[in-house]
Amino acid sequence: MVDSGALRVLVANNYPLEPGIEGAMLGTYPRAHVWGVDALARDGFEVVLASGGAQGRWLPVHDWLTPLTQRFVWRIGDIEQELFVMSRARRTTIVYAADQVSLRGLSLLRAAHLFPAPIVTVVHHPIELTQTNRSVVNGIDIALCLSRRVRGQLIRDFGRPPSTTLFAPWGPDLSAPIYSARAERFVVSTGKTQRDIDTLLSAVATAEYPVRVHSRIPRGSPGANTEIITPPASSPVGQVDFVEVMDDLRDAAVVAIPIANTDTVVGLTELNDALALGKPVVMTKNEFIDVDIE
């Protein structure tokens, strides 16, 4: 039995987790998006978040680390978070990456036996088979895969042991107050990643029912009954308003999830929210989604 009180867990992620953990505790943010970090803390582990680096942990060097990370993150990870983790990692430490990119560099070091702490990584998407990626994947001690198909790819293409390559289905906390359905006002599409918005708009162009579509970028004039919601100019590029999104999902009659790329795990977040709210779903078929939509 592991004595959780003796273990420190260093957590990395591709967005800061502190606001999400606070929101999950208040019931205003989906608990799934904090990736079990709150549960680790409740179970007695000492949890240290590296994902807050941009908020000042490495303030003296943050200004020049940020552009380096933006340029090299897909090769060697988030340099700022990796420095933070390296300075604190010991053999009695577990390193937990809630995304598969932020700690790529440390996984490379781990594969070369140059990093002491075991690394647990949530693998969201399939990984291209390259020599560098082979080293990255071999440097992960435990891989938690959101999709059975991704798990199979890591075992088949990278030769990972099935015992340390686990299927970890990702779903919503059904008890969260945020999942309280209301009216059935319109067809709604709220997703932001690799969405086939053009096909959706074409399909509803002559619809007699109201449609509301959230889009990262402005679109052309839709049908008379279709409204396009885009982020305000003052928000970060591509960011959608989460409160507005959840309000629309609560009021949805149908949730539409049109996907442009079905060769990866896309649409799972919106599907989780729709199912938690008990909403009907129309979704592009995607073999990486382990739910029988029909």
Side-chain angles (χ1 to χ4, degrees):
M1 170 141 336
V2 175
D3 178 8
S4 60
L7 284 176
R8 167 184 287 186
V9 182
L10 300 173
V11 182
N13 192 40
N14 57 358
Y15 55 84
L17 288 169
E18 290 95 331
I21 293 172
E22 182 179 354
M25 293 176 63
L26 296 173
T28 59
Y29 188 77
R31 191 173 297 277
H33 291 280
V34 299
W35 304 103
V37 173
D38 55 333
L40 290 172
R42 287 198 307 270
D43 287 345
F45 291 90
E46 179 189 356
V47 175
V48 180
L49 299 179
S51 59
Q55 299 178 8
R57 298 194 200 279
W58 288 93
L59 193 57
V61 292
H62 174 68
D63 288 343
W64 62 266
L65 279 177
T66 297
L68 278 177
T69 286
Q70 291 172 343
R71 182 175 181 181
F72 296 111
V73 65
W74 291 101
R75 297 182 183 180
I76 58 173
D78 185 322
I79 301 170
E80 192 166 0
Q81 291 194 71
E82 290 175 325
L83 288 174
F84 181 86
V85 170
M86 287 180 68
S87 69
R88 290 158 175 80
R90 305 290 183 270
R91 294 188 183 277
T92 56
T93 302
I94 295 174
V95 177
Y96 174 41
D99 75 292
Q100 66 196 64
V101 175
S102 293
L103 299 187
R104 277 180 60 91
L106 293 190
S107 297
L108 288 169
L109 293 178
R110 180 72 173 163
H113 307 288
L114 297 175
F115 183 71
I119 298 176
V120 179
T121 298
V122 180
V123 182
H124 298 236
H125 306 289
I127 300 175
E128 182 184 2
L129 182 58
T130 66
Q131 192 58 45
T132 299
N133 285 343
R134 186 182 294 278
S135 295
V136 170
V137 170
N138 288 340
I140 298 172
D141 293 83
I142 302 290
L144 305 176
C145 305
L146 300 188
S147 163
R148 284 191 178 90
R149 193 164 183 176
V150 170
R151 177 180 184 263
Q153 189 238 347
L154 294 187
I155 294 171
R156 180 186 66 253
D157 293 352
F158 293 92
R160 282 194 57 90
S163 60
T164 60
T165 310
L166 310 178
F167 173 51
W170 188 57
D173 175 11
L174 298 181
S175 66
I178 196 172
Y179 292 124
S180 55
R182 298 186 303 211
E184 296 181 356
R185 295 172 49 201
F186 37 54
V187 174
V188 63
S189 174
T190 64
K192 61 182 182 179
T193 303
Q194 299 199 41
R195 293 302 196 267
D196 189 3
I197 301 298
D198 291 338
T199 295
L200 175 61
L201 293 180
S202 176
V204 301
T206 59
E208 298 180 358
Y209 44 82
V211 180
R212 181 170 291 185
V213 177
H214 289 257
S215 173
R216 283 184 166 185
I217 60 175
R219 301 277 173 173
S221 299
N225 292 317
T226 301
E227 180 182 8
I228 305 293
I229 308 295
T230 55
S234 59
S235 70
V237 176
Q239 181 172 312
V240 296
D241 185 282
F242 175 74
V243 174
E244 185 175 23
V245 164
M246 284 306 302
D247 280 345
D248 285 351
L249 284 173
R250 290 192 190 98
D251 289 340
V254 176
V255 177
I257 310 177
I259 301 174
N261 179 11
T262 58
D263 292 329
T264 188
V265 181
V266 176
L268 184 54
T269 297
E270 193 174 2
L271 177 61
N272 278 339
D273 290 338
L275 293 178
L277 289 164
K279 301 293 185 177
V281 174
V282 177
M283 182 176 182
T284 307
K285 186 175 180 62
N286 185 348
E287 298 295 338
F288 284 91
I289 301 295
D290 293 283
V291 175
D292 185 341
I293 303 298
E294 294 175 339

